[in-house]
Amino acid sequence: SEQSGVRGVAPSSFLGGEEADFEPPVLSPLADPGAHRFRRGDVIHKLLQTLPDLARERRREAAERFVAAQPDFSDADRQVMIEETLGILDHPDFAPLFGPGSRAEVSLVGRAPDLPGNVIVRGQVDRLVVTDSEVLIVDYKTNRPPPEDVAAVAKVYIGQLATYRALLRAVHPGKTVRCALLWTDAARLMEVADEVMDAVLDGATA
């Protein structure tokens, strides 16, 4: 309410100024002959949404069936998409995100000590799992060109993760919160280090 000064905001708003609204452009099908790369990212995104609900031993067969039904891809393309997607699901550090007890499209609402006082943040993470010692989250980026490394990631994305991390630390005190971005166009899982998120959040709230 206005009296308490509380306002609901999206995680990206902590970047302030012009950068709060800046997000790298979505890949245009016009710049993508045959919309091949555009569709490839969508196929991988769909696999990442559906395969985690299956037992690990059933995932490859389901992926092959789904990808075989997609038109205009060569057999080699299909095989690469399957291997890349299964590689993400079996990632040594983030496999729990796609295993039993993990959750998809989790809404996060609340305050946190690391964030400005009279602000309630509302956001959603694509995938989350809470283990005995850690909270792991991943945010999917589809149809956006994947950067080569974390240093080239748009600050708006880092700021979103930093905000989610702050909320989850408040809910799960004592647990390590680890965050990653997943670029579906390249099937690339990219962990974002604490110090990278700290720098963006410090700059936004200073």
Side-chain angles (χ1 to χ4, degrees), residues 23 44 56 93 99 103 127 156 172 187 192 203:
E23 194 169 354
I44 290 173
R56 193 166 178 265
D93 295 325
R103 296 161 59 204
R127 201 145 196 107
V156 66
H172 300 281
V192 179

Side-chain angles (χ1 to χ4, degrees), residues 47-63:
L47 289 171
L48 290 167
Q49 285 179 315
T50 56
L51 294 182
D53 295 331
L54 302 177
R56 193 166 178 265
E57 62 273 13
R58 292 180 53 213
R59 290 174 176 175
R60 180 175 291 276
E61 181 192 350

